[in-house]
Structures are given as structure tokens and as C-alpha cells.
Amino acid sequence: TKDGGKIGPEFTFGIFMEKDLKEPILIIKTAWGGRSLNTEFRPPSAGQYKLPKEIQDVWNQHPQGAHGVPKLEDRKKWQEEKDAASGVMYRAMIEHVRKVTKDIKRVCPEYDEKAGYELAGFVWFQGFNDLGDSQTYPNGNYDEYSRLLSHFIRDVRKDLSAPKMPFVIGVLGVDGETKNVNFRKAMAAPADLPEFKGNVIAVPTAPFWDDTIAAAQPKQG
């Protein structure tokens, strides 16, 4: 709602897309940080959030609670709170895109209503909160992320009435190419599904991780 003095990767992305396509581009940014795909961006068709069996077994061993484990009598409330948070940002995202496309002139006065518009693509560049979530993805197994992202792609296309909308997965590049390998593979996996062949692509960003800047960050300030 106001200029915070900062930009994200969408700025130069938009510039180069317009240069390449030589036509107007409107980027609808719905990238709220600090959220996960398994909870806040959870797609409707993925179903209710459930603890992995390994974690549930640990919880069952500690009915009185422990570090990170709620007491048995508090677990119903925990699930209710998890359910309430699930999909909140997904729904906000869909609502925001619909609001923009319903009145494009509000944000883009030069929009030509006669020419119309096309939802030409969706870029998903997320994952940090899921990467560090050992409760949802125990033992570095991120298969659930692949499942959730596949549901996400299907649901976004359905809810925006764009069944073949191209989808780009910006594969998380944090810490460079030698780390977080399992997570990056899980992120990219949906692009290999037969149903997404030709209109879902995974783009690695780890090769662009700057080790020099990363090494200097602890000295910032």
C-alpha cells in the first residue's frame, strides 16, 4: 500500500520480459514473505495439514509434552490453529489477482480494454520457510513439498480459470549449489510430471548465489 523503498527480483524480471516480448506486461506481486507452502500458502486440494508419521510417533511418546511437543490435551487446539492458518495466503493471493484483473485500469491507466489481457504465466519463487521446517519434512525428506506444489499449480490454474497457464518454478538458490540439494530436487520435481509437460518449468537459481556477498553478510552493520 506504500513505497517501502525496496524492490524484489520482479523489477528486472519485468524489464527483460518486456524487452524480449515487446509488449506491455503487468506483474501482480503476491509474494508475502515468512510463509510456507505447507501452511499459509497451502492449496485447497492438498487436504488438511497432518503430521508426518515420524513426528506423530515422537508426539505419542510424550503425552505430557516436551520441547516443541504440545501436551496431549493441547493437541486439538494445535490442529485447529493449524487448520485456521492453512491456505490463508493462498486465498489472499487468488483474491488479489482477481481484484487486479477485474479493474486493470486502477493500477495501469494505459491499459487497452479492447485489446484485453492474458494471464500469461505464474512465477513461484519461494521455499525458505519450508526448507527449515523439520516438523513437516523430517530427516530432510521433502517429498511432501513436491506433492503440495503439484496441488498448488493445479489449484491456481483452476481458481484463475487458466487451465494451461505456464508455470515457472524458481528453484530456491540459498547457500549455493552444494547445499540444500534434496529440497531443490523436490521443488523442481513437479516439472517432470507428465501432466505438466510443456507448460511447467523449473529454473535453478543456485548458480547465481554470490559466495562473496554471503561471506560478508555477518559483518553487515
Side-chain angles (χ1 to χ4, degrees):
T1 57
K2 63 181 180 179
D3 177 16
K6 298 178 181 179
I7 59 170
E10 77 282 352
F11 182 68
T12 45
F13 171 80
I15 290 173
F16 279 88
M17 288 294 289
E18 188 168 18
K19 284 181 179 179
D20 190 50
L21 298 175
K22 297 178 175 59
E23 61 187 30
I25 293 173
L26 174 62
I27 296 175
I28 305 173
K29 184 178 180 181
T30 56
W32 297 280
R35 274 79 170 185
S36 70
L37 178 61
N38 69 69
T39 301
E40 292 89 357
F41 274 103
R42 191 177 189 86
S45 66
Q48 184 186 43
Y49 181 100
K50 293 182 179 179
L51 289 171
K53 184 180 182 304
E54 301 97 311
I55 303 300
Q56 186 63 62
D57 288 345
V58 172
W59 282 30
N60 291 341
Q61 294 169 15
H62 298 279
Q64 299 305 314
H67 179 67
V69 179
K71 294 180 180 179
L72 187 61
E73 60 266 29
D74 296 331
R75 292 177 192 178
K76 184 175 183 291
K77 180 183 178 184
W78 179 92
Q79 184 68 58
E80 289 173 348
E81 291 175 348
K82 197 70 171 174
D83 290 343
S86 291
V88 167
M89 303 318 296
Y90 177 91
R91 294 188 292 273
M93 172 187 69
I94 296 297
E95 180 183 344
H96 182 64
V97 173
R98 288 173 175 167
K99 179 180 179 181
V100 172
T101 54
K102 188 177 180 180
D103 184 13
I104 295 178
K105 276 188 173 292
R106 180 178 64 88
V107 292
C108 187
E110 62 271 30
Y111 169 62
D112 183 352
E113 291 179 322
K114 291 182 180 179
Y117 72 89
E118 174 192 11
L119 287 175
F122 189 107
V123 178
W124 178 249
F125 190 37
Q126 179 271 355
F128 190 78
N129 279 64
D130 286 275
L131 172 65
D133 187 347
S134 58
Q135 175 180 275
T136 305
Y137 314 102
N139 305 315
N141 183 345
Y142 293 101
D143 290 348
E144 175 67 357
Y145 189 95
S146 302
R147 186 186 78 86
L148 290 170
L149 186 53
S150 298
H151 278 286
F152 184 88
I153 295 169
R154 298 182 196 109
D155 287 354
V156 166
R157 288 173 166 177
K158 176 177 176 287
D159 290 338
L160 295 180
S161 302
K164 294 295 182 181
M165 178 173 60
F167 203 99
V168 178
I169 303 168
V171 181
L172 196 71
V174 171
D175 293 331
E177 297 181 84
T178 61
K179 297 182 179 179
N180 308 320
V181 174
N182 287 348
F183 183 74
R184 294 206 307 274
K185 286 181 178 178
M187 270 196 99
D192 292 328
L193 293 176
E195 66 178 291
F196 296 145
K197 188 174 178 61
N199 56 27
V200 175
I201 188 171
V203 179
T205 66
F208 304 103
W209 180 259
D210 193 315
D211 291 316
T212 304
I213 291 178
Q217 270 190 320
K219 302 175 183 177
Q220 185 177 13

